[in-house]
Amino acid sequence: MSIDLQELAGRYRDILRQAVYLTRSMDAEGELSTRHVSTLNMVSTGPMRVSAIASYAGVRVPSATEQVIKLEAAGLVERIPDATDARAVLVRLTPKGREALDSANGRRNATMAAALETLSREERQIIAGAIPAIAKLNAAVAAQPATA
Amino acid sequence: MSIDLQELAGRYRDILRQAVYLTRSMDAEGELSTRHVSTLNMVSTGPMRVSAIASYAGVRVPSATEQVIKLEAAGLVERIPDATDARAVLVRLTPKGREALDSANGRRNATMAAALETLSREERQIIAGAIPAIAKLNAAVAAQPATA
DNA sequence: GCTCATAGTTAGGTAGTCTAACAATTAGGC
DNA sequence: GCCTAATTGTTAGACTACCTAACTATGAGC
């Protein structure tokens, strides 16, 4: 017999909600907030437009602008003009930003790795194996027609 | 060879971050927000103290008080005295709250179920199979000594 | 019954988000 | 070539949710 989709959806939403709260608990004193880390992660692979940052972060453009302004004030990113479109602005990670990002990612990954270590090897493999499916599910949710 | 924990932690954090943003996108116009749904879900199995709500939600007590006050103003919960401790307050779902919660949960589950439907049966089974491991991982993160 | 701990509320402040309005630039029709 | 319409980003103003600190009321220990 097949899986009841509604029931699976409910259980998945449950653990997701829990995980969300826990993610915030990984914010440490004096370090970058989860949102700042997310934004820095986005621009870590190359300069990105403000509108692209907003889109990936799931927020409106003004909110992204505000985040970028704060990161710029902290010297973690810089805004450079887009050579192909004078309206656009590219956000680029500075060396200082790279350093701060690596440090924050390292700390967060270490925390998560420590938690993973308490699981059995089988459980870790199950989670590792589920990541592609969850990524695909994320994409499917994102593609949804606005919860009509 | 075994899985690299740091690497797995990073990949897991990635899909989690993505899922977090998507969860918010499931908030619909005129309906309950994700946080309100979470709070209502907590008291849906029985009256609960404000401090317990705060703890489960991962916020401080004043924040929980504020949420409860808003839900009460909307007629979705009611505050009743705790017979065993006059300091405490129990938060109970009202019939109207039950109705609103069921409706919101139904809509959200339907959205998630629709996304799940785009996956293959194997992928759905992988996700279903990973839920217990992820729940255990959540518990492990929660038990962590404050990211020392 | 005094003192200390606990449960919750209130007050004041901060961070992040939104919509609406605006400036600057690009693209397209003619 | 220009004039209009669309796009990119910022600014302004308001709202929500969160925090810490201070307070009230009740319970617990001696």
Side-chain angles (χ1 to χ4, degrees):
Chain A
M1 154 197 154
S2 157
I3 301 172
D4 179 344
L5 286 183
Q6 290 279 334
E7 195 268 336
L8 175 56
R11 281 192 296 139
Y12 179 69
R13 287 209 306 120
D14 274 349
I15 57 155
L16 203 53
R17 179 173 56 229
Q18 224 182 329
V20 168
Y21 290 130
L22 295 171
T23 298
R24 192 176 45 215
S25 78
M26 281 169 65
D27 284 7
E29 54 327 310
E31 277 240 351
L32 293 168
S33 74
T34 296
R35 278 165 232 236
H36 286 169
V37 171
S38 293
T39 306
L40 292 180
N41 268 325
M42 284 181 225
V43 298
S44 69
T45 56
M48 220 175 152
R49 287 190 175 190
V50 172
S51 52
I53 292 173
S55 169
Y56 277 97
V59 298
R60 304 290 176 178
V61 171
S63 305
T65 295
E66 190 179 325
Q67 289 302 310
V68 168
I69 287 172
K70 288 193 177 161
L71 291 171
E72 188 179 35
L76 304 180
V77 303
E78 52 192 356
R79 285 192 280 189
I80 56 178
D82 182 338
T84 72
D85 188 339
R87 291 169 304 179
V89 171
L90 293 177
V91 179
R92 182 169 59 187
L93 203 60
T94 63
K96 182 178 171 189
R98 167 72 59 189
E99 215 176 296
L101 176 60
D102 287 347
S103 159
N105 270 331
R107 269 200 44 263
R108 283 173 157 76
N109 283 347
T111 300
M112 187 61 80
L116 281 164
E117 197 154 27
T118 68
L119 269 57
S120 74
R121 205 157 64 86
E122 287 72 28
E123 286 165 334
R124 283 195 291 273
Q125 278 170 343
I126 286 172
I127 290 177
I131 286 178
I134 294 174
K136 195 168 164 190
L137 178 58
N138 281 341
V141 172
Q144 213 130 56
T147 320
Chain B
M1 152 194 157
S2 156
I3 302 171
D4 179 344
L5 286 182
Q6 291 278 335
E7 195 269 336
L8 175 56
R11 282 193 295 138
Y12 179 69
R13 289 209 305 120
D14 273 349
I15 57 156
L16 203 54
R17 178 173 56 229
Q18 223 181 331
V20 168
Y21 290 128
L22 295 171
T23 298
R24 192 176 45 216
S25 78
M26 282 168 64
D27 283 7
E29 54 327 308
E31 277 239 352
L32 292 169
S33 74
T34 296
R35 278 165 232 236
H36 286 169
V37 171
S38 293
T39 304
L40 292 180
N41 268 326
M42 285 182 225
V43 299
S44 70
T45 56
M48 219 173 152
R49 288 190 175 190
V50 172
S51 52
I53 291 173
S55 168
Y56 278 97
V59 299
R60 305 290 176 178
V61 172
S63 305
T65 294
E66 191 178 322
Q67 289 303 306
V68 168
I69 287 173
K70 288 194 176 158
L71 291 172
E72 188 179 34
L76 304 180
V77 303
E78 53 192 357
R79 284 193 281 188
I80 56 178
D82 182 338
T84 72
D85 188 338
R87 292 170 302 179
V89 171
L90 292 178
V91 179
R92 183 170 58 188
L93 203 61
T94 63
K96 183 177 171 191
R98 166 72 60 188
E99 216 176 296
L101 176 60
D102 287 347
S103 159
N105 270 332
R107 268 201 43 265
R108 283 173 157 74
N109 283 347
T111 300
M112 186 62 79
L116 281 165
E117 196 155 28
T118 68
L119 271 56
S120 73
R121 205 158 63 86
E122 287 71 28
E123 287 165 334
R124 283 196 293 273
Q125 278 170 343
I126 286 172
I127 289 177
I131 287 178
I134 293 174
K136 195 169 163 189
L137 178 58
N138 282 341
V141 172
Q144 213 130 55
T147 319

